[in-house]
Amino acid sequence: MKKLIATLCLFCLALPSSAGRLLPDGLVMGRLAGVEDSGIEFVRSDRTLLQRLSALIAVEPQHFALATGLRVFDEHNRFLLSGQLNALKGHTIGVTFDQQGNINRIWALGDDEIEALKQRQAQIQP
């Protein structure tokens, strides 16, 4: 009986790791264009046609500062050091912002996550 309970407990602990990771609702998807000491160049991908046209007139900021408690996750939800951000250059990432407008979390997104986020955004927008 003890072995059965222990096996069930181990199985329950293994379930979250086998399931997909949960991304926050406020995730902003885009491309990591460059990495500097003071921040990153982040190009948003959720802009509408009107926002893209207005960006030709008024320059939209693409350089964002990084928060002091920055957390970076790769496609397998492992932690990366901020020095490893150069490896993600050119990749599609998801970011969240803190109250000061600094990026506090970065997720490297896989192809299935990119499609799921596009579908989620399409459901939100009329």
Side-chain angles (χ1 to χ4, degrees):
M1 185 69 176
K2 290 181 182 179
K3 289 183 182 180
L4 179 63
I5 293 173
T7 305
L8 286 174
C9 289
L10 288 174
F11 180 71
C12 289
L13 290 173
L15 280 177
S17 64
S18 64
R21 63 182 173 173
L22 297 176
L23 299 173
D25 289 334
L27 191 71
V28 179
M29 191 170 55
R31 185 177 51 83
L32 180 62
V35 179
E36 299 173 3
D37 292 336
S38 61
I40 64 170
E41 296 291 325
F42 177 68
V43 180
R44 295 176 67 139
S45 63
D46 64 345
R47 298 185 304 166
T48 63
L49 179 60
L50 181 61
Q51 290 171 332
R52 291 178 187 172
L53 290 174
S54 66
L56 295 173
I57 299 168
V59 178
E60 183 178 321
Q62 293 183 349
H63 181 80
F64 293 94
L66 301 174
T68 55
L70 175 70
R71 290 176 284 172
V72 182
F73 304 96
D74 69 356
E75 294 92 355
H76 305 290
N77 216 28
R78 296 177 294 205
F79 286 108
L80 296 177
L81 300 173
S82 58
Q84 296 173 305
L85 280 173
N86 280 325
L88 298 177
K89 192 183 295 184
H91 285 81
T92 301
I93 61 172
V95 300
T96 57
F97 297 93
D98 63 8
Q99 295 173 345
Q100 289 79 28
N102 300 329
I103 294 177
N104 62 357
R105 290 182 285 177
I106 299 174
W107 285 270
L109 301 174
D111 293 334
D112 56 340
E113 292 172 326
I114 294 169
E115 290 302 318
L117 285 172
K118 286 181 181 177
Q119 289 176 0
R120 186 191 308 176
Q121 288 175 354
Q123 290 175 354
I124 294 172
Q125 295 175 354

